[in-house]
Amino acid sequence: MCGIFAYTGKNGKDAGGVLLDGLLSLEYRGYDSAGIYTPESGSIKTPGAVAELRKKMPASFTGKSGIAHLRWATHGEPTEKNAHPHASGDGEIWVVHNGIIENFKELKAKLVVQGHTFLSDSDTEVLPHLVEEHLKKTKDFEKAALMALNEVRGTYGIALQYKGEPDKIIAARMGSPIVLGLGDGEHFIASDPSPILPHTKKVVFLEDGEVAIITPDGHSITKLDATKVNRIATEIDWNAEEAQKGGYEHFMLKEIMEGPDVIENTLRGRLIAEKGMVKLGGLESVATELAQIERIIIVACGSAHIAGLIGEYMLEEFAGIPVEVEHASEFRYRSPVLNQRTALIAISQSGETLDTLEAVREGKRRGALTLGIVNAVGSTIARETDAGVYNHAGPEVSVASTKALISELAALVLLTIFLGRQRLPGQGGMSEKTAKEIALALKELPNKVQHILDTKQKIEKIAKKYAGVRDFIFIGRKYNYPVAFEGALKLKEISYIHAEGYGAGEMKHGPIAMIDEHFPTFAIVPQDSVYEKNVSNIHEIKARKGPVIALATEGDTEIGKLVNDVLFVPSTLEMLAPILNIVPLQLFAYYFAKEKGLNVDRPRNLAKSVTVE
Ligand code: G6P
């Protein structure tokens, strides 16, 4: 997600230079626009890179303190006007923000009535206006900031500055990380320690619901209700690169570990569990057309295609709409038959994959309603589709997709509830009762994913045990049939060994011929409606001396007697099981490749965003 950085010092350092260098070390987080503010020189913003920002800054740009931002667009496209810092109407209060203000529409409407004018599409802009409003009454910056923060709902990591007290900066955290850097005559606020480390190793991590004030001479922390918080500073011994990875060895591991947060972020504000309803703002404009569609075609590449295959099972079972899933690279070159009652859904993390984009254009030419499930806000696919759902997974740095896939699946469940509830239960649609059940089970997923992540040492042990093999086959059925593809794809991508995903029921029609004591199988075998059938398939493999690792449901005491190694995941609804099962497979591939000493984050021959055919 976005990166924020703020500085205040009395050592004569140029805040402009300090802030720009800080932004450079936050660049790894991924961003689409940048901005900087000092009380002395005002703000400079630009779409694009920090290098562009540097070019735009006049030589006279100066300051002793300031705030800076890298934006990863969520509300509003990546343009200069939407870039941070955002200001109050009187230009006195400035803010940089990482997160989403969920009630910004209500707050904005109230402020407009009070005479405020807004210049951007960003949800963030309500914050400085709110502080301005409270400052008018209280004449106290700190109080005004607290009052404003108590009115907003959503997630934030922010830094606020008031022109009238230029050496003081206020930070606050709710959901988005904030760390304070404690230097000698200088203090810092940042989204992670990487921009702070060149100046000081002494840091304080804020917790949710905490507000901090920094000046050149010190810092103080309170809760949102102004009660004091005492926290001892910690010394960090990470280098800048380790800091960017949150202390993890690779981005891939960091991104897998973000799974619980990613699910929360995709669901946030969209699931009305008590009513069994889903609110998807990005689909409101086409809700009438969606109620009438008779067919869905999903186009995507790589892991996003696998998300689509799982989505097909969900949408057909719970929304009663026929679904086809195609590799975008195939779809665009054949002669598909579509009409206005067809919705073409493009799934893409980057929103820039050329084949997926061209499939969208082909769908449009043929008259389909085009939708996107896209992570990168303002990307080409997001702009060119008629409507869509953003995943809000934050930037993914590692080439092999992990957290983006989890968020795509969560978004597909939301879409399934949305479309299912538009249709009558008797005609393939979803009853309120079923929707409520799914909604409740969805809410439990972040904790269940965390539980799986907590078993990562066991997964590592098994991955190390098998890291010498040259071939692997992954098998599964029904919802976990595509999960088998993903297990194999992850292993291929980062460990370069031959791996295949197969339907467990298809083994006897060919692949079982390959099985011997040197050819292991990874069987995804949760206790679901096809459990018995899966177990029979495992028996067939064991009869040919094939080693088997099983991914099973916690409490299954039988499966361990049949296979060589078992990994357990918590139970959930059958349709949601892929979201859990994919996590240990990602970790398995990660540890397997790591054991082989390979470059996990940058596998050979692959690119993160494939913008060529
Ligand atoms: C590349 C990446 C994959 C990704 C695929 C689709 O091949 O290596 O991890 O799944 O592109 O990317 P997209 O950005 O469209 O989801």
Side-chain angles (χ1 to χ4, degrees), residues 354-369:
L354 188 71
D355 282 323
T356 312
L357 174 62
E358 287 301 334
V360 168
R361 290 177 175 158
E362 184 61 26
K364 265 197 167 171
R365 274 193 289 272
R366 290 175 183 267
L369 174 72

Side-chain angles (χ1 to χ4, degrees), residues 189-263:
I189 296 164
S191 297
D192 70 49
S194 50
I196 295 175
L197 287 176
H199 306 278
T200 174
K201 304 250 176 217
K202 213 166 150 192
V203 300
V204 173
F205 290 93
L206 285 200
E207 289 184 2
D208 280 351
E210 291 181 351
V211 182
I213 296 164
I214 60 162
T215 63
D217 293 313
H219 78 283
S220 60
I221 306 174
T222 66
K223 294 205 169 134
L224 277 171
D225 62 8
T227 51
K228 228 178 142 30
V229 173
N230 286 315
R231 172 122 353 99
I232 298 164
T234 40
E235 293 270 337
I236 43 175
D237 53 7
W238 299 340
N239 61 34
E241 204 196 324
E242 282 163 344
Q244 293 177 343
K245 292 173 187 159
Y248 292 108
E249 201 178 335
H250 295 99
F251 281 110
M252 182 174 176
L253 184 58
K254 173 176 179 260
E255 286 160 4
I256 296 171
M257 298 303 284
E258 283 170 14
D261 286 344
V262 163
I263 298 172

Side-chain angles (χ1 to χ4, degrees), residues 299-306 347-354 356-357 373 375-376 381 396 398-402 404-405 408 486 489-490 493 603 606-610:
V299 289
C301 305
S303 292
H305 175 257
I306 288 162
I347 305 179
S348 175
Q349 186 285 126
S350 61
E352 302 294 346
T353 302
L354 188 71
T356 312
L357 174 62
I373 294 180
N375 192 33
I381 295 174
E396 199 176 55
S398 189
V399 167
S401 185
T402 53
L405 171 58
E408 284 156 0
E486 177 61 7
L489 179 61
K490 257 332 57 101
E493 280 180 288
L606 297 179
K608 180 73 189 151
S609 185
V610 185

Side-chain angles (χ1 to χ4, degrees), residues 295-299 304-327 345 347 373 408-409 411-413 415-416 419 428 478-482 485 575 578:
R295 183 173 163 227
I296 291 175
I297 296 180
I298 297 179
V299 289
H305 175 257
I306 288 162
L309 291 171
I310 298 166
E312 173 182 12
Y313 280 67
M314 296 177 189
L315 286 160
E316 293 207 338
E317 183 171 355
F318 293 100
I321 309 169
V323 181
E324 292 149 67
V325 187
E326 284 199 51
H327 282 123
I345 306 177
I347 305 179
I373 294 180
E408 284 156 0
L409 292 173
L412 280 162
V413 180
L415 182 68
T416 303
L419 294 176
K478 206 171 171 182
Y479 280 97
N480 293 296
Y481 169 47
F485 297 161
M575 76 175 306

